[in-house]
Amino acid sequence: MLEKFKKGLSKTRDVFKNQFDILFGGSEIDDLFFDELEEILVSADVGMETTTKIIQSLDKRLQAKKIRERAAAREVLKELMVELLEKDQKTSLAAAQTPPTVFLILGVNGVGKTTAIAKMAYRFSQEGKKVLLAAGDTFRAAAIDQLEEWSGSVGAGVIKHHEGGDPSAVIFDAVNAAVARGVDILICDTAGRLHTKANLLEEIKKISRVIQKSLGTEPHETLLVLDATTGQNGISQAKLFQEVVPISGLILTKLDGTARGGIVLAIKDITGIPLKLIGVGEKKEDIQIFDAREFVEALLA
Amino acid sequence: MLFSGLSEKLQETFRKLRGKGKLSEKDVDSALREVRLALLEADVNYKVVKNFTASLKERSLGAEVLKSLTPGQQVVKIVHEELVKLMGESQSKISSVDNPPRIVMMVGLQGSGKTTTAAKLAVLLKKNGHRPLLAAGDIYRPAAIKQLEILGSEAEVPVFSIGKEDPVKIAALALKEAGKEGNDYVIFDTAGRLHIDEELMDELGKLKKETNPLEILLVVDAMTGQDAVNVAQSFHERLGLTGVILTKLDGDTRGGAALSVRAVTNCPIKFIGTGEKFNAFEPFYPDRMASRILGMGDVLTLIEKAQTVVDEKKRQDLEKKLRSQTLTLEDFLEQLQQVKKMGPLEDLLGMIPGLNKVGNQFKNLSLDDKQFLQTEAIIKSMTRDERLRPEIINSSRRRRISLGSGTSVQDVNRLLKQFEQMKKILKQINAMDKGKLKNRGMFPF
């Protein structure tokens, strides 16, 4: 599993690796070192605010530990990034005491919600769990078909209505079906929506209310899907979705490209929302539970 | 709003320097740091920013800034101009077909919005009197073909699909079909792919070789971060792009990806997608994008508009009145009418040199666009005498004015109060900036 994860991150790592090797290969820690580190972090979409914070605390720690060589600074940086990603949160997925466990999946258009859901479903059914999917994207043309096509190959049932239907109604039926069928895990797909569209955000509130009513509890995880290529707008996405419903974690997709997904550091730093799952490829098994140490290790390896 | 961005920060930076007779290189550097930050926050690529600020520095150290009494604004203006230059100064269109039918290939990463954009482009072409054919070439993503078929039927544009065949074969057959049906453009939707996926990139290369497309358009999500350059560069090297379409610009992204993509590929950005509906698809305006990246909204457009709209002599008259504090409602109305041609009043007020310090007080005046008409109506319902000497407006006059303008007495009261407040603020400014207002020119009031 570690191998798979590393392989998924290999592109990310390769890009970072060269830069980090050069960075930490130098001799003394000087202003230039911090400038270069800034460049690397900003180029990875970490954003100026969080980059500045990381650099400042790195500087402080290096001074406190009287570290003068670049090579030794690497470990300190690693620790720092792990701490940031792990702060106050456990990253594993929640599970209901009495099934079904319900996951609500949100995100802007095109981040890969449906694919991520299929991968999650496959993962859970491989673990021997009974999985049901709710086709809550009633808006995008053929989204329901997309989920249905996946469901067969990942071994999960689908609850669907017709295109253009009320997503809350689909979710309501799905929760009831999940309870009735004794399903372990229900994953609810939703239509992609920009975080700036008030009426579409209202719809999410409604969906969340429907789950709460029919299930008697809030969704066990409300996960925001984020594309690894996303830039600083990711912060705005996290903030605005968070204002509508409490977001319990992120799913970072498309980490198999050259994008480095550094935005998750910024999001964790600024909103506190932890990363929980990462998508690392096109196949149904290409999803991993996020592990901060592995993530940072892989980045700085 | 993200507007606070660059413009305000630069004002602040330069305000600190006001006491100095001349700006030094160091002063410009600190301003450029703000520029750099704004660009990075907008996701402009780090290297692009680096080059950009370097060349900017040269110009900012030139006479036009140093001699200016409003260096902050000058720098913003220069940044804006340079950004526009970088993004291509004019807008470009889809090439016309000399020998129909021809293929327009849509390429890009997964989830960038190719399929939706293909349909939007077809709708636009159709509106312009063409006969586009959509062709479904995304043979990988589940239900992608069906998605295009549905979109096509909604848009009333024919869709060619033969299922999951070799894309080259689909393209060839689509062209044949188009020839038969008299379609001029074949908009070919391809599967989303990673730019580092050798196999799938080869597929596109082959498709290009076999079908000799008229256009190869890269569809880029406007929310893309620093990686946009890698993506664009790879696609461009492999395929020789003819243009770029930026999608999902209806969110709050600043869209710095546009700049990055343009900077590395030199390909024009042809269209932007601004919503889920078919008609949410517009030509790309480099200047608007520049404002957006800088977080400035239309402020710069306003400067330009103000320059063209405002009559120089009237401005001088007004300035005299302002400084002698004899502003009347008559002048106020005239200004409102001029301003109306330009856009939101609040923005304009904020831009007036010397008024920045009290800018927040102006916000309390709540002179938004909706109130323009009402304010105009109220003032127009006054006699000339009342406009010149508002203090004579007693309660019976107020009633008459409110009836005449179709508003309430409270509305009239509010306006009069606002006007008084404004005069007070102007008094403060005059006290603060005695005599300096004269040279700041360029703005009404």
Side-chain angles (χ1 to χ4, degrees):
Chain A
M1 139 118 199
L2 187 68
E3 273 317 297
K4 181 86 202 170
F5 176 86
K6 279 197 174 151
K7 205 176 145 220
L9 273 175
S10 66
K11 283 292 177 317
T12 313
R13 199 183 57 228
D14 287 348
V15 179
F16 259 113
K17 196 174 175 179
N18 276 330
Q19 291 173 321
F20 277 111
D21 283 347
I22 295 166
L23 178 66
F24 291 110
S27 51
E28 223 183 321
I29 290 171
D30 46 15
D31 283 350
L32 198 63
F33 168 79
F34 289 112
D35 281 353
E36 284 164 18
L37 180 58
E38 179 192 277
E39 175 166 352
I40 296 172
L41 293 176
V42 169
S43 303
D45 291 318
V46 176
M48 271 310 273
E49 190 179 335
T50 303
T51 296
T52 308
K53 264 192 218 168
I54 290 176
I55 286 179
Q56 277 169 356
S57 33
L58 179 65
D59 190 18
K60 228 186 264 168
R61 280 191 202 186
L62 292 178
Q63 280 182 17
K65 293 185 174 172
K66 303 212 182 342
I67 293 172
R68 281 278 170 75
E69 285 119 40
R70 291 188 178 198
R74 191 178 212 147
E75 280 307 311
V76 183
L77 177 64
K78 221 186 265 184
E79 280 312 308
L80 221 145
M81 286 166 84
V82 171
E83 273 170 41
L84 171 61
L85 285 167
E86 279 184 343
K87 201 175 150 205
D88 307 325
Q89 294 282 349
K90 54 173 177 36
T91 44
S92 58
L93 292 172
Q97 293 202 316
T98 44
T101 298
V102 177
F103 297 146
L104 178 60
I105 312 297
L106 312 170
V108 300
N109 318 60
V111 288
K113 282 177 298 301
T114 309
T115 309
I117 287 168
K119 289 177 181 177
M120 287 170 80
Y122 180 72
R123 191 188 165 88
F124 291 128
S125 61
Q126 286 301 99
E127 289 171 8
K129 299 202 171 89
K130 202 170 164 191
V131 185
L132 188 65
L133 307 177
D137 183 355
T138 56
F139 181 79
R140 183 168 60 89
I144 299 172
D145 301 80
Q146 190 184 349
L147 196 68
E148 252 190 328
E149 262 188 55
W150 269 116
S151 73
S153 68
V154 299
V158 180
I159 298 295
K160 57 160 188 174
H161 286 188
H162 53 91
E163 205 173 298
D166 177 7
S168 307
V170 181
I171 306 284
F172 178 80
D173 283 354
V175 172
N176 288 333
V179 174
R181 296 183 194 178
V183 157
D184 296 305
I185 292 169
L186 169 68
I187 312 176
C188 305
D189 193 12
T190 61
R193 65 200 74 218
L194 286 179
H195 49 294
T196 48
K197 304 271 158 93
N199 52 336
L200 295 180
L201 294 177
E202 275 306 310
E203 193 180 90
I204 288 182
K205 260 190 202 161
K206 190 176 167 198
I207 291 173
S208 181
R209 269 201 310 272
V210 163
I211 293 178
Q212 187 152 12
K213 255 192 184 157
S214 49
L215 189 69
T217 163
E218 286 188 354
H220 302 90
E221 294 274 4
T222 302
L223 301 169
L224 180 67
V225 184
L226 204 71
D227 181 330
T229 58
T230 310
Q232 298 310 296
N233 192 250
I235 298 169
S236 178
Q237 291 174 27
K239 275 187 181 165
L240 294 181
F241 273 107
Q242 178 83 307
E243 278 175 21
V244 181
V245 283
I247 304 293
S248 59
L250 299 178
I251 301 177
L252 190 65
T253 59
K254 307 184 197 173
L255 209 52
D256 46 336
T258 48
R260 309 164 211 181
I263 188 66
V264 295
L265 281 158
I267 292 178
K268 181 72 211 294
D269 177 37
I270 292 164
T271 68
I273 301 173
L275 176 57
K276 297 214 167 179
L277 291 169
I278 57 174
V280 289
E282 310 236 16
K283 298 195 193 70
K284 57 192 175 189
E285 59 267 31
D286 293 337
I287 197 161
Q288 312 286 347
I289 296 279
F290 169 71
D291 178 299
R293 194 158 292 272
E294 277 179 15
F295 189 78
V296 175
E297 286 282 347
L299 290 186
L300 306 186
Chain B
M1 261 206 288
L2 293 164
F3 271 61
S4 46
L6 190 61
S7 180
E8 244 168 61
K9 277 182 197 155
L10 280 183
Q11 294 300 323
E12 189 54 41
T13 308
F14 282 102
R15 191 141 49 235
K16 285 181 206 143
L17 305 172
R18 198 179 249 178
K20 299 186 182 177
K22 212 178 137 193
L23 287 182
S24 67
E25 191 174 334
K26 215 176 128 210
D27 299 335
V28 170
D29 276 343
S30 78
L32 287 181
R33 251 201 306 282
E34 298 293 349
V35 174
R36 177 173 170 269
L37 204 63
L39 294 178
L40 288 174
E41 277 172 7
D43 291 318
V44 180
N45 182 266
Y46 194 91
K47 290 202 178 83
V48 176
V49 172
K50 220 171 175 179
N51 294 337
F52 183 68
T53 44
S55 66
L56 203 64
K57 186 172 173 182
E58 214 170 293
R59 227 187 126 183
S60 300
L61 284 171
E64 57 184 321
V65 174
L66 296 189
K67 279 189 188 151
S68 165
L69 283 159
T70 54
Q73 278 168 12
Q74 279 299 328
V75 172
V76 176
K77 202 163 179 220
I78 290 175
V79 174
H80 187 267
E81 282 170 16
E82 292 290 321
L83 277 182
V84 171
K85 232 186 254 172
L86 247 172
M87 269 184 294
E89 284 170 80
S90 63
Q91 39 161 309
S92 43
K93 294 178 182 137
I94 290 288
S95 314
S96 52
V97 187
D98 42 12
N99 191 10
R102 291 289 297 274
I103 283 201
V104 175
M105 232 167 107
M106 314 294 287
V107 300
L109 297 181
Q110 292 94 339
S112 51
K114 284 174 298 303
T115 308
T116 308
T117 305
K120 285 178 175 177
L121 182 60
V123 169
L124 186 82
L125 286 171
K126 196 176 146 194
K127 217 188 309 176
N128 293 338
H130 293 285
R131 290 172 49 82
L133 173 69
L134 283 163
D138 181 353
I139 55 171
Y140 300 102
R141 181 164 59 93
I145 295 173
K146 183 150 185 206
Q147 186 186 354
L148 193 70
E149 284 169 353
I150 294 172
L151 290 174
S153 79
E154 281 169 11
E156 292 172 0
V157 172
V159 177
F160 180 80
S161 66
I162 51 166
K164 299 185 175 180
E165 294 281 342
D166 176 13
V168 175
K169 185 177 164 195
I170 299 174
L173 290 174
L175 276 174
K176 212 167 157 193
E177 165 98 358
K180 209 166 62 194
E181 298 291 323
N183 299 111
D184 44 2
Y185 290 93
V186 175
I187 302 170
F188 195 81
D189 184 28
T190 65
R193 64 201 73 213
L194 283 171
H195 51 295
I196 50 168
D197 188 326
E198 289 299 321
E199 204 179 311
L200 287 181
M201 289 302 279
D202 277 346
E203 183 191 278
L204 286 182
K206 210 170 128 205
L207 195 60
K208 180 189 176 179
K209 215 176 120 205
E210 300 287 329
T211 62
N212 182 30
L214 175 72
E215 298 258 8
I216 302 178
L217 302 172
L218 179 69
V219 181
V220 179
D221 184 330
M223 295 180 279
T224 311
Q226 298 284 324
D227 200 41
V229 287
N230 301 328
V231 174
Q233 208 156 21
S234 307
F235 272 97
H236 191 49
E237 276 166 13
R238 220 37 192 272
L239 299 170
L241 302 171
T242 61
V244 175
I245 298 178
L246 217 56
T247 60
K248 306 180 206 173
L249 260 164
D250 43 337
D252 57 357
T253 176
R254 297 262 190 90
L259 190 62
S260 308
V261 167
R262 165 78 202 191
V264 298
T265 63
N266 218 20
C267 290
I269 296 165
K270 298 205 167 181
F271 295 98
I272 56 170
T274 56
E276 313 228 21
K277 305 232 165 63
F278 289 133
N279 59 7
F281 191 64
E282 304 164 9
F284 173 76
Y285 294 97
D287 50 338
R288 289 185 201 167
M289 199 62 216
S291 298
R292 182 166 179 144
I293 288 174
L294 292 177
M296 296 193 303
D298 284 322
V299 166
L300 275 155
T301 323
L302 274 174
I303 298 180
E304 277 150 23
K305 277 186 189 159
Q307 281 169 324
T308 53
V309 170
V310 174
D311 180 304
E312 180 65 11
K313 184 165 178 313
K314 276 186 182 166
R315 186 187 64 76
Q316 283 171 359
D317 283 353
L318 187 75
E319 212 173 271
K320 214 184 279 168
K321 280 179 180 165
L322 282 178
R323 277 186 294 130
S324 55
Q325 286 154 44
T326 51
L327 186 76
T328 65
L329 278 166
E330 185 97 316
D331 305 318
F332 192 52
L333 178 63
E334 201 172 285
Q335 284 308 304
L336 280 181
Q337 280 163 343
Q338 283 196 343
V339 166
K340 208 164 72 172
K341 296 178 208 158
M342 292 186 252
L345 181 60
E346 230 175 79
D347 285 354
L348 194 72
L349 288 171
M351 289 298 295
I352 302 165
L355 288 200
N356 299 308
K357 286 176 226 156
V358 287
N360 287 337
Q361 297 183 40
F362 273 108
K363 286 191 180 128
N364 299 335
L365 297 182
S366 69
L367 284 165
D368 58 67
D369 292 327
K370 285 172 212 156
Q371 288 200 323
F372 258 141
L373 281 174
Q374 197 186 59
T375 305
E376 220 181 312
I378 293 174
I379 299 181
K380 277 184 175 163
S381 301
M382 294 175 185
T383 64
R384 188 171 154 72
D385 215 22
E386 285 166 346
R387 289 184 211 173
L388 294 178
R389 297 187 302 134
E391 59 275 12
I392 64 168
I393 303 176
N394 58 21
S395 60
S396 109
R397 283 177 194 259
R398 277 168 213 234
R399 230 179 355 262
R400 193 205 74 240
I401 293 167
S402 74
L403 282 173
S405 57
T407 58
S408 67
V409 178
Q410 284 90 331
D411 291 327
V412 177
N413 284 339
R414 199 177 310 128
L415 175 69
L416 290 171
K417 216 173 142 198
Q418 281 176 355
F419 182 65
E420 272 314 302
Q421 231 177 321
M422 186 167 189
K423 276 173 92 172
K424 244 187 244 164
I425 293 168
L426 288 170
K427 216 179 208 170
Q428 288 174 17
I429 298 162
N430 273 348
M432 278 188 301
D433 264 1
K434 212 161 197 177
K436 284 190 186 167
L437 205 58
K438 193 169 83 183
N439 296 320
R440 299 265 170 80
M442 148 175 210
F443 298 99
F445 288 91

